[in-house]
Amino acid sequence: MRICFPTANNLGLESPVFEHFGSAPMFLLVDSTSGEVSEQTNRDLGHAHGMCQPLKALAGQAVDAIVVGGIGGGALSGLKRAGLTVFQAKSGTVGDNLAAIKSGSLQEMTPERVCAGHGETHGHGHGHGHSHGCGH
């Protein structure tokens, strides 16, 4: 499986997972079988808030899953429509989250967990920010 992790820089499997998909400077693409790691610059970094185009951001890179700290509802819907699985990252590094995927302990991102926007609240009354890794 080829998995995408948003990051600030390439420290390999030691890279912290970036808090939010759309504002990540780059993505690390990890092959969960071979362990091969490659990087891709975020090609949609300058988008207006709420206008993230995740497939444009990945510049056509083929991936099976994405692990995110936070993501907007539109971007999540777009990725799911494209057939990608989106996982909610745990605190820690790319390697920590890769191990969680392999063990089956990483949860899939649901619409209830998405980032509502800067300073807005989620539809279920949760504050925007720390609880869902959306502190961007």
Side-chain angles (χ1 to χ4, degrees), residues 3-95:
I3 307 165
C4 169
F5 297 87
T7 62
N9 47 43
N10 185 352
L11 301 174
L13 296 180
E14 295 302 312
S15 304
V17 177
F18 202 76
E19 291 177 345
H20 192 76
F21 178 85
S23 54
M26 70 180 336
F27 307 104
L28 291 187
L29 309 171
V30 181
D31 185 310
S32 64
T33 304
S34 70
E36 179 184 344
V37 178
S38 60
E39 65 182 62
Q40 171 63 54
T41 302
N42 183 344
R43 297 289 175 91
D44 191 35
L45 190 56
H47 69 273
H49 183 71
M51 301 301 290
C52 178
Q53 298 178 54
L55 298 179
K56 178 182 176 185
L58 288 169
Q61 294 284 341
V63 297
D64 303 299
I66 297 180
V67 177
V68 297
I71 192 168
L76 177 63
S77 294
L79 290 168
K80 287 186 172 277
R81 278 195 308 273
L84 302 178
T85 302
V86 181
F87 292 101
Q88 171 78 55
K90 294 182 176 183
S91 298
T93 66
V94 167

Side-chain angles (χ1 to χ4, degrees), residues 117-133:
H118 297 273
E120 298 172 18
T121 59
H122 294 272
H124 301 299
H126 299 293
H128 179 78
H130 306 290
S131 62
H132 298 299

